[in-house]
Amino acid sequence: MDRRVNSRVDQVGHKDSQTELEQAILKISGMSCAACASRIEKVISGMEGIKTASVNLAAEKAIIMYDTSTVKVEDVKHVIKQIGYQVSDEDNPLEMDRARAEREKDLRDQARIFAFSTVFSLPLLLTMLVHLRITERIPDVLLNPWFQLALATPVQFIAGWRFYKDAYYALRAGSANMSVLVALGTSAAYFYSLAVVLWGPRFGQQEVYFESSAVIITLVLLGKLLEAKAKGRTSEAIRKLMGLQAKTARVMRDNQEMDIPIEDVAIDDVVIVRPGEKIPVDGLILEGYSAVDESMLTGESMPIDKKVGDAVIGSTINKFGTFRFKATKVGRDTVLAQIIRIVEEAQGSKAPIQRMADIISSKFVPAVVGLATLTFFFWYFIGDAGNATRALTNFTAVLVIACPCALGLATPTSIMVGTGKGAENGILIKGGEHLERVHQLQAIVLDKTGTITKGEPELTDIVVWDGLSEDELLRLSASSEKGSEHPLGQAIIQGAQTKGLSLIEPKDFEAIPGHGIRASVEDHRLLVGNRKLLQENGIVTEAVEPQIRQLESEGKTTMLVAVDGALTGMLGVADTLKPGSVSAVRAMKAMRLQVYMISGDNQRTAAAIAKQLDIEHVLAEVLPEDKAREIQALQDAGLVVGMVGDGINDAPALVAADVGFAIGTGTDVAMESADITLIKGDLRGIVAAIQLSRSTMRNVKENLFWALIYNTIGIPVAAFGLLSPVVAGGAMAFSSVSVVTNALRLKRWRYKDIV
């Protein structure tokens, strides 16, 4: 999957026009441990024209940024194949069948080779009971060294061939990985035993260790099989998202309705959707109305009413009405496709904490080989002088217990599950580094309009002074505003319609810019506007000034209403808070975050909104171009800052912040600039993102513990001759399985309301 991208927007929102790069996501198979991923990453990064390269073991993907004038994707693929791995282009996220079939085939192949290895290894496993002095009651044939050789050879060279092959490519590339350790350790046990069978009696050697080599290979294969099954579950969120896509669409072509594959829908096609059907692509309703279940996108259980002119989103479900809409986004441009791409890229990215694991893995295998060699010489010349069997056993145990598979899985598996859980909960996290950074936040800066508030003015107050009822005053005022396109006038009309009032067309309508409107309704002459409009028409407002100032102190815009030359009432209009804003701010404070509100509004209006939210830090009258500067000032004060916004003017600040949160109901520019997108548009998503980040990072640290504890304890135990190679193989396999299983615990994560 290629996507042309410009260089990153800098902290004041400008782009570097000199650099244009392309991104490619490649599917890589054949990696067995962190050392493999590290080697591929190192080789790719060393190529001319590669800007960045990130290889993720758990996701089996490489994400590269490259200069098209210098290098091609085919060149990168060729280099990866040369060092022994299979590579292909990432499939279209909406075409999942082939990728799934390949994964299932690989899983079946692993299961078959494990079954094959088990059949030959089980009889040898019984001979271990003799070595361990547990029993001597087993058939004599099992103790026959030639019979053991016959059983062990297919395991060593058929079931174990993958380790030899991978080790060959690793060594040829000048590095070492898990397969080198397995191949080296089991080969030592196998070929020593073979030498004993062929020439041992001449030198008094009797003991053979075919069971160690065979059972170790079988245990490692079991670990890889369990690991593959568990890793498959980490991508469940992606598969769920892909499964939401409709397969066909009903469109109008040549004045006829026809069903076509979803891939063939073009922009501006007229699409028909009937009750109970999935909406195939994104678009705008042209005809009809309905309620649409958008829970897959927002998590909201209640269907959303849709009418002519409203936007609909592909893969959401039409509940009861039939409507037609014009396709505006298709294929990879639909909201669902973009979500899938963001989640996939996030799951293929690396968190900064993974660098530690990568550094350890790159140095680990050579160090282990050296330590195992020292162990052999120590036991052969000092510990049990002349006893090659004892030296070889301890040498093999050190090699096997040290396999760094789990270390390579510790971070990426948690990141995959964490970003997947985020997507399921309407939190789109663009990369592992952002997921890690969120839990470090110390301050949150909230844009006011469209983020804290709904961004649309609503009628909030009706005050009557002279004779008319509230409904009558509102009916006359709303009728007079029917000729207006001003947002305040539309808010009054919406308020009247909500109350079910019948409106009529005004006469002699006149809009007076900056002041209000003049109109006639049912033989009444109305003025609706500010103080200046009424004063210019000879109407005195001093007597009601205290009530006007009271509403204005609450952040509301006042609209005075005069009927037939007399001041009759007043309407209050305000941009109201979103339902979850108050509880979200309380939760942020409970998490010990400093909460700031930033707005271009005047100090009084901003302070009124902040008071409702109990926000002490208010940055008012801030111009759009200065928002990023305010973020920088907080960072200069030593704070790790998150910025939350929804508009184009918020984009520079979103980029400048340590973590940028975009409200999903806002503009595409804001979403593109942000690190995390809150699809629901609910500020409680910030709290959820922080909780998810904390849970994920805790899980990563637990994984690193489990990955390292086996090696930390096991290597010295094996070196001192207290650990058999077979037990070491079992521990190594269990280490990988325990790491992936622990990461899967994140799938049970749920948002907790903390206030």
Side-chain angles (χ1 to χ4, degrees):
M1 175 171 62
D2 292 341
R3 185 159 61 97
R4 185 170 293 275
V5 292
N6 288 309
S7 60
R8 185 183 187 273
V9 182
D10 64 26
Q11 292 199 342
V12 293
H14 300 296
K15 291 182 179 178
D16 179 2
S17 58
Q18 302 301 314
T19 306
E20 189 173 86
L21 303 170
E22 277 193 18
Q23 182 189 75
I25 302 179
L26 301 176
K27 180 74 174 174
I28 299 177
S29 55
M31 293 187 290
S32 60
C33 69
C36 296
S38 179
R39 182 167 81 257
I40 296 170
E41 192 172 288
K42 183 178 179 181
V43 170
I44 297 175
S45 299
M47 296 178 65
E48 186 179 359
I50 299 296
K51 186 74 174 177
T52 61
S54 174
V55 179
N56 188 305
L57 171 64
E60 297 185 322
K61 291 177 186 175
I63 300 178
I64 62 171
M65 296 288 290
Y66 64 101
D67 182 351
T68 54
S69 64
T70 307
V71 67
K72 297 178 181 178
V73 174
E74 293 304 318
D75 300 331
V76 178
K77 289 194 239 179
H78 178 68
V79 168
I80 294 172
K81 288 175 181 176
Q82 273 193 323
I83 58 175
Y85 300 93
Q86 295 79 50
V87 59
S88 60
D89 290 319
E90 177 71 1
D91 289 330
N92 183 326
L94 298 179
E95 296 174 355
M96 57 183 288
D97 293 339
R98 191 178 73 181
R100 176 185 291 177
E102 288 178 356
R103 283 194 300 270
E104 291 176 349
K105 180 180 180 299
D106 182 61
L107 204 57
R108 287 194 302 271
D109 290 343
Q110 288 194 50
R112 277 196 293 267
I113 199 68
F114 167 70
F116 172 85
S117 186
T118 301
V119 168
F120 285 91
S121 298
L122 277 177
L124 292 171
L125 186 60
L126 294 176
T127 67
M128 290 181 60
L129 301 178
V130 176
H131 284 295
L132 297 174
R133 305 293 190 266
I134 294 174
T135 183
E136 294 181 0
R137 293 184 177 181
I138 62 172
D140 292 340
V141 67
L142 294 182
L143 297 177
N144 185 303
W146 289 97
F147 182 73
Q148 291 184 20
L149 172 63
L151 290 174
T153 301
V155 177
Q156 189 71 35
F157 299 108
I158 298 178
W161 175 248
R162 57 179 292 177
F163 301 114
Y164 283 108
K165 179 181 176 184
D166 192 32
Y168 164 75
Y169 283 113
L171 293 172
R172 194 180 73 171
S175 66
N177 61 5
M178 182 208 79
S179 294
V180 171
L181 298 183
V182 174
L184 193 57
T186 59
S187 294
Y190 176 85
F191 285 109
Y192 169 81
S193 300
L194 178 62
V196 168
V197 171
L198 297 176
W199 305 293
R202 299 181 191 175
F203 308 103
Q205 299 291 341
Q206 300 293 329
E207 296 255 347
V208 292
Y209 287 88
F210 288 119
E211 79 283 354
S212 294
S213 64
V215 173
I216 286 170
I217 288 173
T218 303
L219 285 172
V220 174
L221 290 174
L222 173 61
K224 301 303 288 182
L225 176 62
L226 294 175
E227 179 187 304
K229 286 184 175 180
K231 280 166 60 179
R233 291 172 58 199
T234 62
S235 299
E236 193 172 312
I238 289 288
R239 291 197 294 273
K240 283 181 179 177
L241 289 171
M242 290 177 172
L244 293 172
Q245 177 69 16
K247 303 298 183 187
T248 61
R250 185 175 295 107
V251 301
M252 292 295 298
R253 296 272 175 91
D254 300 324
N255 294 321
Q256 290 184 338
E257 291 185 16
M258 59 179 65
D259 290 335
I260 62 173
I262 187 73
E263 298 82 9
D264 294 341
V265 178
I267 291 177
D268 292 333
D269 269 345
V270 175
V271 185
I272 302 100
V273 183
R274 295 193 173 96
E277 294 182 342
K278 283 185 179 179
I279 298 169
V281 295
D282 299 358
L284 295 173
I285 294 181
L286 301 173
E287 178 185 326
Y289 67 92
S290 184
V292 176
D293 179 359
E294 296 184 344
S295 58
M296 53 74 62
L297 187 70
T298 65
E300 298 295 336
S301 57
M302 292 297 293
I304 309 298
D305 290 334
K306 300 287 184 178
K307 59 184 184 302
V308 173
D310 286 345
V312 290
I313 300 170
S315 303
T316 56
I317 300 173
N318 179 32
K319 299 301 288 185
F320 64 81
T322 298
F323 61 86
R324 300 184 179 205
F325 71 93
K326 180 175 71 172
T328 56
K329 291 182 179 179
V330 300
R332 295 189 180 186
D333 295 326
T334 63
V335 170
L336 179 63
Q338 290 178 40
I339 289 173
I340 291 172
R341 185 175 67 239
I342 289 172
V343 176
E344 284 196 321
E345 290 179 7
Q347 291 190 339
S349 67
K350 287 189 176 183
I353 196 172
Q354 191 171 340
R355 293 175 192 149
M356 178 179 69
D358 288 346
I359 292 170
I360 294 172
S361 295
S362 65
K363 310 296 183 186
F364 200 68
V365 176
V368 167
V369 172
L371 180 60
T373 304
L374 287 175
T375 299
F376 177 86
F377 286 120
F378 169 81
W379 282 100
Y380 188 74
F381 291 107
I382 301 173
D384 192 357
N387 190 338
T389 299
R390 184 79 179 272
L392 182 65
T393 300
N394 296 337
F395 167 81
T396 303
V398 170
L399 287 177
V400 174
I401 193 65
C403 288
C405 315
L407 192 61
L409 295 168
T411 300
T413 47
S414 295
I415 296 298
M416 286 179 70
V417 178
T419 50
K421 286 303 294 183
E424 288 178 18
N425 288 270
I427 306 166
L428 291 185
I429 303 165
K430 289 188 177 178
E433 66 275 20
H434 309 309
L435 181 59
E436 178 176 343
R437 191 67 165 158
V438 169
H439 85 287
Q440 300 171 341
L441 290 177
Q442 298 168 303
I444 292 286
V445 179
L446 306 173
D447 176 55
K448 182 182 81 69
T449 305
T451 301
I452 292 175
T453 65
K454 294 179 180 178
E456 299 176 356
E458 290 184 0
L459 179 67
T460 57
D461 296 84
I462 304 172
V463 181
V464 177
W465 292 309
D466 188 13
L468 296 178
S469 67
E470 289 187 1
D471 283 357
E472 184 62 12
L473 177 71
L474 179 58
R475 188 182 71 83
L476 291 174
S477 301
S479 295
S480 68
E481 292 280 6
K482 286 196 72 175
S484 172
E485 295 181 355
H486 195 281
L488 296 178
Q490 293 300 310
I492 293 171
I493 293 171
Q494 182 64 42
Q497 291 174 339
T498 301
K499 281 176 163 279
L501 303 178
S502 298
L503 307 184
I504 62 174
E505 292 295 325
K507 297 178 182 178
D508 305 322
F509 174 85
E510 180 185 359
I512 305 167
H515 293 74
I517 61 104
R518 178 186 290 116
S520 295
V521 178
E522 294 180 342
D523 298 327
H524 295 293
R525 292 177 294 106
L526 274 85
L527 293 172
V528 183
N530 57 22
R531 297 180 183 87
K532 193 169 184 180
L533 174 65
L534 271 65
Q535 289 167 358
E536 287 179 353
N537 284 272
I539 299 172
V540 179
T541 62
E542 281 79 0
V544 297
E545 278 297 323
Q547 289 169 284
I548 296 174
R549 284 196 293 271
Q550 175 61 35
L551 286 183
E552 289 178 341
S553 70
E554 297 171 3
K556 298 171 182 176
T557 301
T558 57
M559 307 278 285
L560 299 173
V561 182
V563 180
D564 296 328
L567 183 58
T568 305
M570 176 175 65
L571 304 173
V573 177
D575 185 4
T576 57
L577 296 176
K578 289 182 177 179
S581 294
V582 174
S583 61
V585 171
R586 286 178 186 164
M588 291 176 206
K589 288 187 167 186
M591 300 173 92
R592 299 185 179 180
L593 295 170
Q594 296 183 31
V595 183
Y596 292 76
M597 188 183 80
I598 193 167
S599 174
D601 285 345
N602 61 63
Q603 188 69 43
R604 184 176 60 187
T605 301
I609 294 293
K611 184 178 180 181
Q612 296 178 53
L613 294 161
D614 195 25
I615 295 177
E616 297 89 2
H617 308 291
V618 181
L619 306 172
E621 300 179 25
V622 179
L623 297 174
E625 59 269 25
D626 293 332
K627 287 185 177 181
R629 195 170 291 116
E630 294 288 352
I631 297 293
Q632 187 66 56
L634 292 174
Q635 291 171 326
D636 291 342
L639 296 173
V640 180
V641 183
M643 168 68 193
V644 190
D646 74 317
I648 293 174
N649 59 354
D650 296 322
L654 290 171
V655 174
D658 294 287
V659 180
F661 295 86
I663 299 298
T665 52
T667 63
D668 289 341
V669 173
M671 292 174 66
E672 192 66 30
S673 303
D675 305 310
I676 297 175
T677 299
L678 308 175
I679 298 177
K680 299 178 185 179
D682 188 333
L683 289 182
R684 284 170 293 194
I686 299 168
V687 181
I690 295 172
Q691 289 180 358
L692 178 60
S693 174
R694 290 178 177 178
S695 296
T696 303
M697 297 318 300
R698 183 167 57 249
N699 191 269
V700 167
K701 290 170 184 175
E702 291 168 353
N703 282 350
L704 289 172
F705 169 80
W706 286 114
L708 292 170
I709 192 66
Y710 292 95
N711 300 18
T712 304
I713 296 174
I715 290 175
V717 171
F720 283 110
L722 302 175
L723 190 68
S724 77
V726 172
V727 174
M732 185 273 294
F734 187 71
S735 174
S736 295
V737 175
S738 63
V739 162
V740 179
T741 303
N742 186 57
L744 289 171
R745 289 194 308 112
L746 275 174
K747 293 175 75 66
R748 299 199 299 268
W749 178 86
R750 295 289 184 274
Y751 168 70
K752 295 178 182 177
D753 194 347
I754 59 177
V755 293

PDB file of all heavy atoms in Angstrom, residues 298-322:
ATOM      1  N   THR A 298     -19.251   5.603  16.048  1.00  0.00           N
ATOM      2  CA  THR A 298     -19.263   6.478  17.212  1.00  0.00           C
ATOM      3  C   THR A 298     -19.461   5.751  18.518  1.00  0.00           C
ATOM      4  O   THR A 298     -19.186   6.297  19.583  1.00  0.00           O
ATOM      5  CB  THR A 298     -20.396   7.516  17.082  1.00  0.00           C
ATOM      6  OG1 THR A 298     -21.658   6.832  17.120  1.00  0.00           O
ATOM      7  CG2 THR A 298     -20.287   8.277  15.771  1.00  0.00           C
ATOM      8  N   GLY A 299     -19.981   4.528  18.474  1.00  0.00           N
ATOM      9  CA  GLY A 299     -20.294   3.816  19.699  1.00  0.00           C
ATOM     10  C   GLY A 299     -21.633   4.214  20.292  1.00  0.00           C
ATOM     11  O   GLY A 299     -22.081   3.632  21.280  1.00  0.00           O
ATOM     12  N   GLU A 300     -22.312   5.208  19.695  1.00  0.00           N
ATOM     13  CA  GLU A 300     -23.610   5.645  20.204  1.00  0.00           C
ATOM     14  C   GLU A 300     -24.686   4.655  19.774  1.00  0.00           C
ATOM     15  O   GLU A 300     -24.810   4.317  18.593  1.00  0.00           O
ATOM     16  CB  GLU A 300     -23.957   7.043  19.672  1.00  0.00           C
ATOM     17  CG  GLU A 300     -22.969   8.120  20.098  1.00  0.00           C
ATOM     18  CD  GLU A 300     -22.984   8.352  21.590  1.00  0.00           C
ATOM     19  OE1 GLU A 300     -24.007   8.048  22.237  1.00  0.00           O
ATOM     20  OE2 GLU A 300     -21.973   8.816  22.129  1.00  0.00           O
ATOM     21  N   SER A 301     -25.496   4.218  20.744  1.00  0.00           N
ATOM     22  CA  SER A 301     -26.490   3.180  20.451  1.00  0.00           C
ATOM     23  C   SER A 301     -27.731   3.723  19.748  1.00  0.00           C
ATOM     24  O   SER A 301     -28.409   3.003  19.022  1.00  0.00           O
ATOM     25  CB  SER A 301     -26.915   2.484  21.744  1.00  0.00           C
ATOM     26  OG  SER A 301     -27.418   3.433  22.673  1.00  0.00           O
ATOM     27  N   MET A 302     -28.038   5.008  19.949  1.00  0.00           N
ATOM     28  CA  MET A 302     -29.258   5.582  19.355  1.00  0.00           C
ATOM     29  C   MET A 302     -29.025   5.938  17.885  1.00  0.00           C
ATOM     30  O   MET A 302     -28.035   6.592  17.545  1.00  0.00           O
ATOM     31  CB  MET A 302     -29.685   6.831  20.118  1.00  0.00           C
ATOM     32  CG  MET A 302     -30.179   6.551  21.530  1.00  0.00           C
ATOM     33  SD  MET A 302     -31.664   5.535  21.535  1.00  0.00           S
ATOM     34  CE  MET A 302     -32.831   6.675  20.802  1.00  0.00           C
ATOM     35  N   PRO A 303     -29.935   5.541  16.985  1.00  0.00           N
ATOM     36  CA  PRO A 303     -29.815   5.931  15.570  1.00  0.00           C
ATOM     37  C   PRO A 303     -29.896   7.447  15.409  1.00  0.00           C
ATOM     38  O   PRO A 303     -30.540   8.140  16.201  1.00  0.00           O
ATOM     39  CB  PRO A 303     -31.016   5.241  14.907  1.00  0.00           C
ATOM     40  CG  PRO A 303     -31.392   4.143  15.835  1.00  0.00           C
ATOM     41  CD  PRO A 303     -31.090   4.646  17.214  1.00  0.00           C
ATOM     42  N   ILE A 304     -29.249   7.949  14.374  1.00  0.00           N
ATOM     43  CA  ILE A 304     -29.208   9.387  14.096  1.00  0.00           C
ATOM     44  C   ILE A 304     -30.155   9.692  12.943  1.00  0.00           C
ATOM     45  O   ILE A 304     -30.096   9.047  11.894  1.00  0.00           O
ATOM     46  CB  ILE A 304     -27.777   9.839  13.715  1.00  0.00           C
ATOM     47  CG1 ILE A 304     -26.766   9.342  14.756  1.00  0.00           C
ATOM     48  CG2 ILE A 304     -27.716  11.342  13.554  1.00  0.00           C
ATOM     49  CD1 ILE A 304     -26.981   9.880  16.136  1.00  0.00           C
ATOM     50  N   ASP A 305     -31.053  10.674  13.130  1.00  0.00           N
ATOM     51  CA  ASP A 305     -31.977  11.070  12.063  1.00  0.00           C
ATOM     52  C   ASP A 305     -31.203  11.720  10.920  1.00  0.00           C
ATOM     53  O   ASP A 305     -30.321  12.561  11.141  1.00  0.00           O
ATOM     54  CB  ASP A 305     -33.022  12.046  12.597  1.00  0.00           C
ATOM     55  CG  ASP A 305     -34.016  11.376  13.543  1.00  0.00           C
ATOM     56  OD1 ASP A 305     -34.212  10.149  13.412  1.00  0.00           O
ATOM     57  OD2 ASP A 305     -34.575  12.069  14.415  1.00  0.00           O
ATOM     58  N   LYS A 306     -31.558  11.348   9.698  1.00  0.00           N
ATOM     59  CA  LYS A 306     -30.903  11.887   8.513  1.00  0.00           C
ATOM     60  C   LYS A 306     -31.960  12.394   7.541  1.00  0.00           C
ATOM     61  O   LYS A 306     -32.976  11.734   7.313  1.00  0.00           O
ATOM     62  CB  LYS A 306     -30.049  10.814   7.824  1.00  0.00           C
ATOM     63  CG  LYS A 306     -28.933  10.226   8.684  1.00  0.00           C
ATOM     64  CD  LYS A 306     -27.787  11.199   8.887  1.00  0.00           C
ATOM     65  CE  LYS A 306     -26.645  10.564   9.667  1.00  0.00           C
ATOM     66  NZ  LYS A 306     -25.501  11.473   9.845  1.00  0.00           N
ATOM     67  N   LYS A 307     -31.683  13.573   6.961  1.00  0.00           N
ATOM     68  CA  LYS A 307     -32.605  14.157   5.985  1.00  0.00           C
ATOM     69  C   LYS A 307     -31.802  14.668   4.795  1.00  0.00           C
ATOM     70  O   LYS A 307     -30.574  14.511   4.745  1.00  0.00           O
ATOM     71  CB  LYS A 307     -33.396  15.299   6.635  1.00  0.00           C
ATOM     72  CG  LYS A 307     -32.552  16.427   7.170  1.00  0.00           C
ATOM     73  CD  LYS A 307     -33.410  17.464   7.883  1.00  0.00           C
ATOM     74  CE  LYS A 307     -32.583  18.657   8.343  1.00  0.00           C
ATOM     75  NZ  LYS A 307     -31.478  18.304   9.234  1.00  0.00           N
ATOM     76  N   VAL A 308     -32.501  15.266   3.825  1.00  0.00           N
ATOM     77  CA  VAL A 308     -31.848  15.784   2.625  1.00  0.00           C
ATOM     78  C   VAL A 308     -30.746  16.767   3.017  1.00  0.00           C
ATOM     79  O   VAL A 308     -30.948  17.660   3.842  1.00  0.00           O
ATOM     80  CB  VAL A 308     -32.877  16.469   1.701  1.00  0.00           C
ATOM     81  CG1 VAL A 308     -32.162  17.150   0.536  1.00  0.00           C
ATOM     82  CG2 VAL A 308     -33.881  15.451   1.175  1.00  0.00           C
ATOM     83  N   GLY A 309     -29.573  16.577   2.427  1.00  0.00           N
ATOM     84  CA  GLY A 309     -28.433  17.446   2.708  1.00  0.00           C
ATOM     85  C   GLY A 309     -27.499  16.920   3.780  1.00  0.00           C
ATOM     86  O   GLY A 309     -26.378  17.396   3.920  1.00  0.00           O
ATOM     87  N   ASP A 310     -27.959  15.918   4.558  1.00  0.00           N
ATOM     88  CA  ASP A 310     -27.119  15.362   5.622  1.00  0.00           C
ATOM     89  C   ASP A 310     -26.115  14.358   5.048  1.00  0.00           C
ATOM     90  O   ASP A 310     -26.373  13.706   4.037  1.00  0.00           O
ATOM     91  CB  ASP A 310     -27.971  14.665   6.681  1.00  0.00           C
ATOM     92  CG  ASP A 310     -28.706  15.656   7.577  1.00  0.00           C
ATOM     93  OD1 ASP A 310     -28.338  16.849   7.551  1.00  0.00           O
ATOM     94  OD2 ASP A 310     -29.647  15.246   8.277  1.00  0.00           O
ATOM     95  N   ALA A 311     -24.992  14.254   5.726  1.00  0.00           N
ATOM     96  CA  ALA A 311     -23.949  13.307   5.310  1.00  0.00           C
ATOM     97  C   ALA A 311     -24.234  11.918   5.876  1.00  0.00           C
ATOM     98  O   ALA A 311     -24.731  11.780   6.993  1.00  0.00           O
ATOM     99  CB  ALA A 311     -22.586  13.792   5.787  1.00  0.00           C
ATOM    100  N   VAL A 312     -23.952  10.901   5.082  1.00  0.00           N
ATOM    101  CA  VAL A 312     -24.028   9.517   5.551  1.00  0.00           C
ATOM    102  C   VAL A 312     -22.664   8.873   5.349  1.00  0.00           C
ATOM    103  O   VAL A 312     -21.902   9.261   4.462  1.00  0.00           O
ATOM    104  CB  VAL A 312     -25.115   8.713   4.812  1.00  0.00           C
ATOM    105  CG1 VAL A 312     -26.497   9.191   5.213  1.00  0.00           C
ATOM    106  CG2 VAL A 312     -24.941   8.785   3.299  1.00  0.00           C
ATOM    107  N   ILE A 313     -22.373   7.877   6.173  1.00  0.00           N
ATOM    108  CA  ILE A 313     -21.045   7.265   6.190  1.00  0.00           C
ATOM    109  C   ILE A 313     -21.144   5.797   5.803  1.00  0.00           C
ATOM    110  O   ILE A 313     -22.014   5.067   6.297  1.00  0.00           O
ATOM    111  CB  ILE A 313     -20.410   7.405   7.590  1.00  0.00           C
ATOM    112  CG1 ILE A 313     -20.276   8.892   7.947  1.00  0.00           C
ATOM    113  CG2 ILE A 313     -19.046   6.725   7.651  1.00  0.00           C
ATOM    114  CD1 ILE A 313     -19.890   9.136   9.385  1.00  0.00           C
ATOM    115  N   GLY A 314     -20.258   5.373   4.917  1.00  0.00           N
ATOM    116  CA  GLY A 314     -20.243   3.996   4.468  1.00  0.00           C
ATOM    117  C   GLY A 314     -20.094   3.008   5.610  1.00  0.00           C
ATOM    118  O   GLY A 314     -19.365   3.258   6.565  1.00  0.00           O
ATOM    119  N   SER A 315     -20.819   1.888   5.498  1.00  0.00           N
ATOM    120  CA  SER A 315     -20.800   0.774   6.454  1.00  0.00           C
ATOM    121  C   SER A 315     -21.697   0.987   7.663  1.00  0.00           C
ATOM    122  O   SER A 315     -21.833   0.092   8.490  1.00  0.00           O
ATOM    123  CB  SER A 315     -19.371   0.451   6.932  1.00  0.00           C
ATOM    124  OG  SER A 315     -18.555   0.165   5.829  1.00  0.00           O
ATOM    125  N   THR A 316     -22.308   2.184   7.803  1.00  0.00           N
ATOM    126  CA  THR A 316     -23.332   2.353   8.824  1.00  0.00           C
ATOM    127  C   THR A 316     -24.633   1.745   8.295  1.00  0.00           C
ATOM    128  O   THR A 316     -24.761   1.459   7.101  1.00  0.00           O
ATOM    129  CB  THR A 316     -23.536   3.834   9.184  1.00  0.00           C
ATOM    130  OG1 THR A 316     -23.850   4.580   7.995  1.00  0.00           O
ATOM    131  CG2 THR A 316     -22.273   4.413   9.803  1.00  0.00           C
ATOM    132  N   ILE A 317     -25.609   1.546   9.185  1.00  0.00           N
ATOM    133  CA  ILE A 317     -26.804   0.764   8.820  1.00  0.00           C
ATOM    134  C   ILE A 317     -28.047   1.636   8.779  1.00  0.00           C
ATOM    135  O   ILE A 317     -28.366   2.337   9.748  1.00  0.00           O
ATOM    136  CB  ILE A 317     -27.010  -0.394   9.819  1.00  0.00           C
ATOM    137  CG1 ILE A 317     -25.782  -1.313   9.791  1.00  0.00           C
ATOM    138  CG2 ILE A 317     -28.256  -1.198   9.484  1.00  0.00           C
ATOM    139  CD1 ILE A 317     -25.801  -2.390  10.859  1.00  0.00           C
ATOM    140  N   ASN A 318     -28.742   1.602   7.646  1.00  0.00           N
ATOM    141  CA  ASN A 318     -30.011   2.311   7.498  1.00  0.00           C
ATOM    142  C   ASN A 318     -31.105   1.542   8.236  1.00  0.00           C
ATOM    143  O   ASN A 318     -31.271   0.342   8.034  1.00  0.00           O
ATOM    144  CB  ASN A 318     -30.353   2.424   6.004  1.00  0.00           C
ATOM    145  CG  ASN A 318     -31.665   3.135   5.773  1.00  0.00           C
ATOM    146  OD1 ASN A 318     -32.040   4.009   6.539  1.00  0.00           O
ATOM    147  ND2 ASN A 318     -32.356   2.765   4.714  1.00  0.00           N
ATOM    148  N   LYS A 319     -31.881   2.234   9.077  1.00  0.00           N
ATOM    149  CA  LYS A 319     -32.834   1.543   9.943  1.00  0.00           C
ATOM    150  C   LYS A 319     -34.199   1.333   9.291  1.00  0.00           C
ATOM    151  O   LYS A 319     -34.700   0.225   9.223  1.00  0.00           O
ATOM    152  CB  LYS A 319     -33.005   2.289  11.279  1.00  0.00           C
ATOM    153  CG  LYS A 319     -31.724   2.387  12.082  1.00  0.00           C
ATOM    154  CD  LYS A 319     -31.135   1.036  12.424  1.00  0.00           C
ATOM    155  CE  LYS A 319     -31.933   0.310  13.480  1.00  0.00           C
ATOM    156  NZ  LYS A 319     -31.301  -0.943  13.892  1.00  0.00           N
ATOM    157  N   PHE A 320     -34.849   2.430   8.817  1.00  0.00           N
ATOM    158  CA  PHE A 320     -36.225   2.200   8.355  1.00  0.00           C
ATOM    159  C   PHE A 320     -36.594   2.868   7.037  1.00  0.00           C
ATOM    160  O   PHE A 320     -37.425   2.363   6.299  1.00  0.00           O
ATOM    161  CB  PHE A 320     -37.225   2.642   9.433  1.00  0.00           C
ATOM    162  CG  PHE A 320     -37.190   4.119   9.745  1.00  0.00           C
ATOM    163  CD1 PHE A 320     -37.849   5.034   8.942  1.00  0.00           C
ATOM    164  CD2 PHE A 320     -36.523   4.580  10.857  1.00  0.00           C
ATOM    165  CE1 PHE A 320     -37.830   6.389   9.240  1.00  0.00           C
ATOM    166  CE2 PHE A 320     -36.514   5.929  11.177  1.00  0.00           C
ATOM    167  CZ  PHE A 320     -37.164   6.836  10.359  1.00  0.00           C
ATOM    168  N   GLY A 321     -36.049   4.016   6.677  1.00  0.00           N
ATOM    169  CA  GLY A 321     -36.483   4.733   5.477  1.00  0.00           C
ATOM    170  C   GLY A 321     -35.666   4.367   4.254  1.00  0.00           C
ATOM    171  O   GLY A 321     -34.558   3.859   4.352  1.00  0.00           O
ATOM    172  N   THR A 322     -36.234   4.623   3.076  1.00  0.00           N
ATOM    173  CA  THR A 322     -35.485   4.477   1.825  1.00  0.00           C
ATOM    174  C   THR A 322     -35.027   5.860   1.383  1.00  0.00           C
ATOM    175  O   THR A 322     -35.810   6.817   1.412  1.00  0.00           O
ATOM    176  CB  THR A 322     -36.363   3.849   0.728  1.00  0.00           C
ATOM    177  OG1 THR A 322     -36.761   2.538   1.134  1.00  0.00           O
ATOM    178  CG2 THR A 322     -35.607   3.760  -0.589  1.00  0.00           C
TER     179      THR A 322
END
